[in-house]
Amino acid sequence: MNNKTKSKLEVSLIYLFIGFMFIIIAYPLLWTIGLSLNPGTSLYSASMIPENWSLVHYKWLFTSPQSDYLLWYKNSVMVAVANSFFSVVVTSFVAYAFSRYRFRGRTYGLYAFLLLQMFPALMAMVAIYILLNMIGLDDSLIGLTLVYIGGQIPFNAWLVKGYFDTIPKELDEAARMDGAGHFGVFFRIMLPLAKPILAVVALFNFMAPFTDFLLPRIILRSPEKFTLALGLFNFISDQFANNFTRFAAGSILIAIPIALMFLFLQRYLIAGLTAGGTKG
């Protein structure tokens, strides 16, 4: 087999693999979109391409007095924005300290961050609930936000610390020679150069409250405090066992704020990828 034939075969296999993965990803999405456009409420009578499609389920989510969808949407957006912002702030300070300073316990702290990432969050659910109950933050969006922020510190700090390590320390020294202090170096040198990785942290932490079900299920009990994932679960629980089409409509709309956040941070994400590809 000559090199030209081998190259064509490799390219064909790559395209076949991409096409296979596209089908796996697109098929459930197309079914969800089609399900949301079916006028009925049953899962079994719905089709992926409805003959008489309708937006009645989207209208019901926003206009029906029986629907709390807008309230759940507001709760999710509030938790997502707070989680994204404070995660970036806390992670930046923690990662900067571990990257630029040498102090007692630094190595063991990094090992602890690495070790904490090996255990699933499910192991800490009981302890988290007891702790929130002790401080009066159970069944609270504030308590849920604090758990999100604290739970992501090990992974986010390890990620951002690795990026901070790639920034030359000579820039810090030059800034200090010009009279900058610790906060001056942090805010004027480190943060502007670390925008790509901070954009990644902001995006991931913004997405978490929209897609997570287990943690809100344990912490939140009042329907008016539900997030979208928890609230939509009611549409397919025992009480609303036939509202799969409304569940699909509500699920599709979850992608809107995530897509807007991605478009807002896209230039920073692309800058991070290109910077990593040309560094050498």
Side-chain angles (χ1 to χ4, degrees):
M1 182 182 298
N2 55 40
N3 292 333
K4 186 176 181 180
T5 304
K6 184 178 179 180
S7 177
K8 289 183 178 180
L9 180 61
E10 291 176 351
V11 172
S12 300
L13 292 175
I14 292 174
Y15 277 112
L16 285 175
F17 178 76
I18 294 176
F20 177 72
M21 295 303 299
F22 176 78
I23 293 175
I24 292 178
I25 296 173
Y27 183 75
L29 179 61
L30 293 176
W31 248 111
T32 305
I33 296 175
L35 192 64
S36 69
L37 297 176
N38 277 269
T41 60
S42 174
L43 175 65
Y44 301 102
S45 62
S47 59
M48 186 170 65
I49 305 177
E51 296 181 359
N52 300 317
W53 62 273
S54 173
L55 298 176
V56 62
H57 302 303
Y58 294 95
K59 182 179 179 180
W60 183 90
L61 291 174
F62 290 100
T63 60
S64 174
Q66 300 176 350
S67 173
D68 293 326
Y69 187 77
L70 288 177
L71 181 60
W72 300 337
Y73 217 108
K74 183 189 73 172
N75 294 340
S76 297
V77 171
M78 290 171 56
V79 174
V81 171
N83 182 38
S84 179
F85 175 78
F86 288 107
S87 291
V88 170
V89 173
V90 174
T91 299
S92 300
F93 281 109
V94 174
Y96 177 68
F98 277 97
S99 175
R100 286 301 194 259
Y101 300 117
R102 300 296 181 266
F103 50 88
R104 182 175 298 179
R106 174 181 177 274
T107 302
Y108 293 108
L110 291 174
Y111 287 153
F113 283 167
L114 186 61
L115 185 64
L116 288 172
Q117 298 177 48
M118 300 180 183
F119 297 97
L122 183 62
M123 295 179 59
M125 290 300 177
V126 176
I128 289 173
Y129 179 80
I130 294 175
L131 177 62
L132 292 179
N133 188 39
M134 290 173 59
I135 61 179
L137 289 179
D138 59 319
D139 194 23
S140 169
L141 293 177
I142 297 178
L144 178 64
T145 305
L146 291 177
V147 173
Y148 277 133
I149 296 172
Q152 292 296 324
I153 287 178
F155 174 76
N156 292 337
W158 188 272
L159 185 68
V160 178
K161 184 259 180 190
Y163 193 93
F164 280 167
D165 289 343
T166 65
I167 300 176
K169 293 184 179 180
E170 289 78 5
L171 297 176
D172 302 18
E173 298 172 358
R176 288 195 173 92
M177 291 179 62
D178 290 337
H182 296 289
F183 285 101
V185 173
F186 177 72
F187 286 106
R188 297 180 182 179
I189 303 298
M190 303 299 290
L191 288 188
L193 294 177
K195 284 181 180 179
I197 195 64
L198 295 180
V200 173
V201 172
L203 179 62
F204 285 172
N205 285 273
F206 184 83
M207 292 170 55
F210 287 99
T211 57
D212 183 33
F213 167 78
L214 185 58
L215 190 58
R217 179 67 172 177
I218 294 175
I219 296 177
L220 304 177
R221 296 186 302 274
S222 303
E224 66 273 9
K225 298 179 181 179
F226 283 175
T227 59
L228 278 173
L230 184 56
L232 289 175
F233 176 74
N234 291 332
F235 291 169
I236 55 174
S237 63
D238 294 336
Q239 186 178 1
F240 301 101
N242 293 323
N243 289 331
F244 286 95
T245 48
R246 293 175 182 172
F247 174 84
S251 301
I252 292 297
L253 296 176
I254 292 178
I256 294 178
I258 298 176
L260 293 176
M261 185 69 171
F262 178 81
L263 292 175
F264 176 74
L265 298 174
Q266 185 178 17
R267 57 174 180 159
Y268 299 114
L269 298 174
I270 295 177
L273 295 175
T274 57
T278 57
K279 186 179 294 183

